């Protein structure tokens, strides 16, 4: 396909939000409410009514301060779960916004159950039950009501940086032959984390049946890296413990109807390993498998019929595939235990803490650019409400900074910038030979699986194999220049693949740099098997040097307070 048919359009807005998920929608609504005079535009790769992690709905608000919990106690919990290392300032400011974000969802129409006292029905200490299958349409409705403009099915590909400041984004329609430069006074990046870096559990046609949203492909990380932003903690990958094959959430069983994890002999095993945190529970499961006592299960056979039926209701909300499996086996949840397994690793700042290095206002290191939700680093355990809280913080900081003097950009300058960028962005369309995005993606996932701690190696890494990964990724990075596309859809896939290769390179450099084992499964070095607080209670950060095509790794001190590692 020739690229000359592509229409090029420059658009202008005051505040641009890239990604219309939990963080993006709340950022846009906050910006509109903060200053209704401002134009706010949300640019979304899919459709805001059913995009991102929330597409399938939720069945709990996973981050909420129930009576007795405070922002401080939330910070203690997150710090313990993350083995001592988080950005205290970010977790605290996020925790302070959890309950108001929940109230907002309730006011918008999310059905949250309440007790006689009018309090949300708790699921755990820090979570509340939700009938959340319609959460995304409800949020999209609130976005529309705010008066924000929405550009659906437009994929952001590169930040527009001028005179050291982010001034907008280059983006392509995923359906039409159309490319945009959207100019803005402030840009808030909320594109979520990155799936598809590692080979998934389910191959072939079922490859999209994974834990994380398969269409969140790390564009925000990659755009930030190419523009020189500082990133943090890419070595802290997130691996979810899921039900086998259907990849449904295990929390729905473990917390929802409270049954234990057991091995193939029916023995409860978490206590053997002193496993309390999320990665420790995963590591214990892996250890049981390695000891020949796997596979492991959630023992739903202990449920009575009423709890069994409750469990099915809960899964109907967001993961009907497990119901289909039970139906196929002509079984009920209480007939037999549910097998569990670890997912492939993801790069996701809302569960792990990989992402943009930001300040408390969620300002990135690039002037004019803010980051919130799964794409922002340093503050794990955000979930839907924490991502919203961060979106709010980013929007408030962006509004406060808007007064900064910006040299206006002429129509001609903008048009020239767009034309120059189109040459590079549309390049795969003119390529007659080379690699399809799918082929390159497969190679990437194989390299990461085998040499950088994927499922096949029990998530563990060591220097020799990481060096292999580094070398193979260099070759892949060269092959990115040979990506081919025939239409707008392929072009989106080509950019997604290029982004993932860059992210993988950063992950490998981070894994090489942290010479200790801090987070079981998430980051475990066979050659440095101990946790070493003396040397490594600090952040591993990086930025990408475009000119030299290298990832520059640096360390940042941990500036939080001490915490009690033993309390619950
Ligand atoms: C399977 C699953 C179940 C979950 N269940 C719960 C739950 O029950 N309770 C809970 O509290 N939390 C839950 N979470 C966590 C919660 O959904 C996320 O933490 C939260 O949605 C993250 O918000 P976000 O805005 O950062 O990302 P998202 O909500 O995923 O939004 C990112 C948006 O960016 C868009 N985008 C991506 N790339 C581009 C691009 N290049 N250009 C334009 N747009 C782009 C995406 O399409 C998407 O709309 C769950 C997460 C997952 C993966």
């Amino acid at each position: 396909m020739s690229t000359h048919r592509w229409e090029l359009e420059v658009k202008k807005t005051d505040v641009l939000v890239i990604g219309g998920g939990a963080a993006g929608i709340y950022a846009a609504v906050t910006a509109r409410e903060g200053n209704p005079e401002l134009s706010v535009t949300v640019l979304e790769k899919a459709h805001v009514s059913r995009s991102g992690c929330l597409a399938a709905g939720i069945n709990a608000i996973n981050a909420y301060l129930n009576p007795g919990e405070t922002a401080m106690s939330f910070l203690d919990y997150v710090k313990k779960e993350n083995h001592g290392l988080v950005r205290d300032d970010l977790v605290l400011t996020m925790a302070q916004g959890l309950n108001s974000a929940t109230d907002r969802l309730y006011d918008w129409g999310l059905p949250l159950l309440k007790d006689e006292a009018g309090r949300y029905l708790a699921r755990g200490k820090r979570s509340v039950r939700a009938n959340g299958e319609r959460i995304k349409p409800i949020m999209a409705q609130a976005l529309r009501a705010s008066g924000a403009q929405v550009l659906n099915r437009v994929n952001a590909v590169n930040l527009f940086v001028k005179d050291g400041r982010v001034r907008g984004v280059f983006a392509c329609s995923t359906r039409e032959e159309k490319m945009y430069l959207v100019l803005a006074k402030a840009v808030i990046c909320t594109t979520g984390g990155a799936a598809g870096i590692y080979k998934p559990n389910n191959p072939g046609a079922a490859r999209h049946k994974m834990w994380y949203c398969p269409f969140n492909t790390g564009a925000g990380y990659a755009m930030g890296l190419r523009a020189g932003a500082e990133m943090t903690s890419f070595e802290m990958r997130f691996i979810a413990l899921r039900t086998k094959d259907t990849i449904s959430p295990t929390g729905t069983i473990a917390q929802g109807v409270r049954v234990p994890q057991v091995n193939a002999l029916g023995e409860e095993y978490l206590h053997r390993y002193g496993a309390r945190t999320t990665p420790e529970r995963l590591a214990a499961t892996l250890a049981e498998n390695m000891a020949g006592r796997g596979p492991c299960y959630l023992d739903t056979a202990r449920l009575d019929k009423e709890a069994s039926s409750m469990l099915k209701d809960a899964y109907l909300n967001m993961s009907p595939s497990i119901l289909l499996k039970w139906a196929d086996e002509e079984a009920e949840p209480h007939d037999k235990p549910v097998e569990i397994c670890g997912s492939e690793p993801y790069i996701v700042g809302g569960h792990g803490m990989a992402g943009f290095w930001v300040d408390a206002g969620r300002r990135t290191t690039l002037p004019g650019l803010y980051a919130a939700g799964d794409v922002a680093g340093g503050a794990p355990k955000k979930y839907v409400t924490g991502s919203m809280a961060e979106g709010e913080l980013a929007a408030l900081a962006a509004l406060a900074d808007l007064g900064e003097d910006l040299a206006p950009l002429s129509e001609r300058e903008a048009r020239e910038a767009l034309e120059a960028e189109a040459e590079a962005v549309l390049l795969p369309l003119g390529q007659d030979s080379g690699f399809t995005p799918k082929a390159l993606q497969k190679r990437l996932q194989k390299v990461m699986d085998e040499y950088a701690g994927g499922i096949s190696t029990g998530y563990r890494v060591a220097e020799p194999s990481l060096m292999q990964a580094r070398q193979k990724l260099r070759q892949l990075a060269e092959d990115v220049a040979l990506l081919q596309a025939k239409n707008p859809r392929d072009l989106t896939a080509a950019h997604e693949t290029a982004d993932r290769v860059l992210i993988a390179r950063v992950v490998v450099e981070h894994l090489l740099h942290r010479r200790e084992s801090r987070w079981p499964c998430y980051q475990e070095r066979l050659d440095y098997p101990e946790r070493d607080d003396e040397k490594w209670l600090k952040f591993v950060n990086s930025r990408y040097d475009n000119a030299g095509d290298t990832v520059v790794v640096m360390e940042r001190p941990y500036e939080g307070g001490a915490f009690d590692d033993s309390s619950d």
Side-chain angles (χ1 to χ4, degrees):
M1 170 186 282
S2 136
T3 61
H4 68 265
R5 288 205 302 268
W6 277 60
E7 188 187 334
L8 303 183
E9 183 180 339
V10 177
K11 282 184 167 289
K12 283 188 186 161
T13 187
D14 291 315
V15 177
L16 170 65
V17 179
I18 315 175
I25 288 183
Y26 208 47
V29 171
T30 304
R32 283 287 301 161
E33 289 175 349
N35 186 347
E37 305 284 299
L38 293 179
S39 58
V40 176
T41 301
V42 176
L43 190 147
E44 167 57 48
K45 165 188 193 175
H47 195 290
V48 289
S49 292
R50 280 286 178 201
S51 65
C53 295
L54 298 178
I58 56 168
N59 55 26
I61 298 286
N62 285 343
Y64 182 81
L65 306 178
N66 279 314
E69 293 294 319
T70 62
M72 236 7 239
S73 68
F74 192 85
L75 170 61
D76 279 346
Y77 149 72
V78 176
K79 234 197 263 194
K80 187 158 359 107
E81 281 272 322
N82 289 279
H83 300 244
L85 187 61
V86 295
R87 280 274 303 275
D88 290 28
D89 56 336
L90 301 184
V91 177
L92 260 184
T93 46
M94 183 250 289
Q96 283 157 356
L98 293 176
N99 288 18
S100 56
T102 308
D103 291 340
R104 213 58 206 283
L105 288 172
Y106 182 76
D107 292 343
W108 287 346
L110 184 73
L112 295 176
L113 304 173
K114 290 192 170 181
D115 63 15
E116 295 92 25
R119 286 183 301 240
Y120 300 125
L121 219 55
R123 187 169 91 154
K125 266 187 181 178
R126 289 163 290 264
S127 59
V128 296
R129 291 175 190 271
N131 293 323
E133 64 276 14
R134 294 201 71 254
I135 185 169
K136 205 66 213 299
I138 288 168
M139 293 186 82
Q141 171 59 32
L143 175 66
R144 279 190 286 274
S146 77
Q149 302 292 310
V150 183
L151 273 178
N152 282 313
R153 309 205 194 285
V154 178
N155 184 45
V157 289
N158 269 324
L159 296 169
F160 174 46
V161 185
K162 179 119 176 60
D163 304 326
R165 189 184 169 93
V166 174
R167 303 284 298 263
V169 77
F170 297 104
C172 296
S173 166
T174 60
R175 301 237 167 134
E176 298 167 296
E177 296 177 348
K178 191 163 181 182
M179 180 170 167
Y180 300 89
L181 166 56
V182 186
L183 295 171
K185 294 175 185 156
V187 178
I188 304 175
C189 182
T190 58
T191 47
I197 309 280
Y198 285 83
K199 193 168 160 184
N201 293 81
N202 291 318
R207 67 189 181 282
H208 284 154
K209 192 182 275 182
M210 54 171 63
W211 168 73
Y212 200 62
C213 169
F215 309 106
N216 283 1
T217 53
Y221 299 139
M223 290 190 291
L225 283 162
R226 285 193 288 268
E230 187 169 329
M231 298 286 165
T232 190
S233 307
F234 271 47
E235 75 281 16
M236 191 204 193
R237 305 152 320 147
F238 178 75
I239 296 149
L241 190 64
R242 303 298 273 186
T243 64
K244 181 96 182 359
D245 300 331
T246 58
I247 317 294
S248 304
T250 48
T252 309
I253 306 179
Q255 278 108 52
V257 289
R258 297 191 189 283
V259 298
Q261 279 175 225
V262 295
N263 62 21
L265 310 176
E267 301 162 341
E268 294 184 28
Y269 57 85
L270 292 181
H271 63 278
R272 272 192 202 141
Y273 304 91
R276 296 172 306 156
T277 66
T278 313
E280 285 167 355
R281 284 196 290 273
L282 174 67
T285 305
L286 227 63
E288 286 296 293
N289 289 342
M290 298 292 281
R293 293 189 292 268
C296 295
Y297 301 88
L298 277 161
D299 194 1
T300 48
R302 301 182 189 205
L303 294 176
D304 59 28
K305 282 190 175 163
E306 195 187 342
S308 184
S309 153
M310 258 176 65
L311 181 58
K312 281 171 82 174
D313 284 353
Y315 274 131
L316 254 184
N317 250 355
M318 62 176 290
S319 195
S321 55
I322 192 167
L323 299 188
L324 293 177
K325 186 161 190 267
W326 278 318
D328 180 55
E329 292 169 353
E330 294 184 20
E332 293 296 321
H334 60 267
D335 285 335
K336 60 177 185 179
V338 173
E339 190 176 336
I340 53 178
C341 67
S343 70
E344 73 278 20
Y346 304 94
I347 308 305
V348 46
H351 279 68
M353 59 174 183
F356 280 93
W357 184 248
V358 290
D359 73 5
R362 274 52 180 181
R363 295 173 186 87
T364 71
T365 54
L366 298 177
L369 183 71
Y370 306 76
D374 282 354
V375 82
K381 305 272 171 204
K382 282 176 207 168
Y383 305 110
V384 58
T385 39
S387 299
M388 290 170 68
E390 285 205 333
E392 181 179 29
L393 289 165
L396 293 176
L399 292 190
D401 299 345
L402 269 190
E404 284 172 15
D405 244 3
L406 280 182
L409 210 70
S410 72
E411 293 280 334
R412 192 174 54 83
E413 278 177 304
R415 183 82 202 170
E416 281 173 3
L418 178 54
E419 280 168 8
E421 186 73 15
E423 292 268 311
V425 165
L426 304 182
L427 199 67
L429 292 164
Q431 213 99 259
D432 291 332
S433 62
F435 300 102
T436 63
K438 208 187 250 178
L440 214 65
Q441 166 92 4
K442 256 191 166 170
R443 276 172 58 198
L444 168 70
Q445 292 184 344
K446 188 166 155 60
V447 170
M448 293 303 282
D449 182 58
E450 292 173 3
Y451 300 102
I455 295 172
S456 70
T457 56
Y459 309 116
R460 296 189 183 100
V461 294
E463 185 161 328
S465 60
L466 287 170
M467 295 302 281
Q468 285 282 322
R470 176 193 271 174
Q471 194 195 326
K472 289 175 191 293
L473 289 175
R474 272 211 157 273
Q475 181 60 55
L476 272 166
E478 282 176 26
D479 292 346
V480 159
L482 300 175
L483 274 165
Q484 285 177 293
K486 290 194 177 66
N487 51 43
R489 209 180 107 162
D490 285 357
L491 187 68
T492 305
H495 289 296
E496 290 171 346
T497 305
D499 289 350
R500 284 168 166 144
V501 171
L502 178 57
I503 293 163
R505 289 176 66 192
V506 177
V507 171
V508 165
E509 294 309 318
H510 276 243
L511 286 169
L512 271 166
H513 195 85
R514 184 173 284 284
R515 293 191 190 91
E516 63 155 354
S517 289
R518 179 156 297 263
W519 304 289
C521 296
Y522 297 3
Q523 183 273 333
E524 234 178 318
R525 292 278 304 244
L526 289 166
D527 42 358
Y528 298 95
E530 303 299 326
R531 169 170 151 186
D532 180 355
D533 275 0
E534 209 170 297
K535 288 205 196 102
W536 290 103
L537 194 60
K538 56 187 165 191
F539 297 96
V540 175
N541 283 13
S542 61
R543 71 185 173 72
Y544 175 64
D545 171 19
N546 243 317
D549 186 25
T550 48
V551 180
V552 182
V553 180
M554 63 207 91
E555 293 164 9
R556 300 276 176 218
Y558 168 62
E559 289 177 342
F563 79 109
D564 179 359
D565 206 357
S566 60
S567 67
D568 181 31

